Amino acid sequence: MKRRAEQQAETRRRIVEAAVELHSTVGPARTTVSMLAERAGVQRHTLYAHFPDEWSVLLACSGHVLERDPLPNPEPWRAIQDPRERVRTGLGAIYGWYARNAAVLACTLRDSEHHAPTREINELRFWPAMAAYREILGAELDARDHALLLLALSFHTWRTLVQEASLEQADAAAAMVEAICSARIS
């Protein structure tokens, strides 16, 4: 009995890891059941026994990504009195997370534009954290600077600054801190 449970857990793990790999390369919207079963080394019926629908695969895949590398916890940032330092610390942590998860984020954010299940999972998994980031890092910012904070929090902004413009992670965060916390915050 215990051996069977271990085998089932191992099969489930292989399927989830295969989903992460495929979602990081072709994206969730383009990942088919056949591709997933082949990558995991299982039959389609085995895959369906573990994950009866696309939603359950997406939920398990996103859960695995976040278990492996949790989103930064913004609560400690509340204690940072200086708004500039708070934003710098927060963006540094968020940009580090983006760097470690760039492939899967690029594909899932792209697919969430047109694939409802991916959009729903992204909203479920990431929007609460983004709301907390906006609330904590946006404290004491005026409307203009808050708009710049939203821009800075975007994965696409990080990708432009770091991957396309070849800025170092810290320099990208510093540039956005400077833009956000211009002369309005001393």
Side-chain angles (χ1 to χ4, degrees):
M1 200 67 137
K2 183 180 177 186
R3 177 75 177 131
R4 178 162 167 71
E6 288 172 352
Q7 288 175 331
Q8 287 180 334
E10 173 60 21
T11 299
R12 182 179 173 84
R13 183 195 60 75
R14 281 198 336 264
I15 294 168
V16 170
E17 288 180 359
V20 171
E21 289 175 31
L22 289 166
H23 294 175
S24 298
T25 53
V26 299
R30 296 180 183 138
T31 297
T32 66
V33 171
S34 297
M35 291 166 67
L36 186 51
E38 182 179 331
R39 177 72 55 102
V42 300
Q43 299 295 314
R44 289 172 58 111
H45 70 275
T46 302
L47 191 142
Y48 283 122
H50 288 273
F51 300 101
D53 53 29
E54 182 179 32
W55 176 264
S56 61
V57 171
L58 289 167
L59 196 60
C61 177
S62 61
H64 182 71
V65 167
L66 291 173
E67 182 179 302
R68 179 182 67 197
D69 188 5
L71 285 161
N73 176 5
E75 287 306 317
W77 308 338
R78 284 188 197 275
I80 302 172
Q81 295 299 312
D82 177 41
R84 184 180 296 272
E85 182 60 21
R86 185 172 48 245
V87 172
R88 188 197 63 72
T89 300
L91 286 180
I94 294 163
Y95 284 6
W97 192 85
Y98 287 167
R100 294 186 303 275
N101 295 281
V104 71
L105 282 170
C107 290
T108 58
L109 290 174
R110 178 201 65 215
D111 287 0
S112 70
E113 296 284 327
H114 60 84
H115 187 245
T118 301
R119 181 176 46 256
E120 292 164 6
I121 292 293
N122 282 342
E123 289 171 1
L124 174 74
R125 295 292 196 188
F126 302 110
W127 281 19
M130 283 297 162
Y133 298 158
R134 288 191 305 271
E135 185 250 320
I136 293 170
L137 299 179
E140 302 176 43
L141 298 182
D142 65 16
R144 173 201 168 271
D145 292 342
H146 198 268
L148 288 169
L149 174 64
L150 294 179
L151 179 67
L153 289 171
S154 169
F155 169 77
H156 301 293
T157 299
W158 170 83
R159 186 173 61 185
T160 299
L161 294 172
V162 174
Q163 292 184 337
E164 295 173 23
S166 300
L167 288 180
E168 294 295 323
Q169 204 99 319
D171 293 336
M176 291 311 303
V177 168
E178 198 56 39
I180 295 164
C181 300
S182 56
R184 289 177 178 83
I185 296 178
S186 309

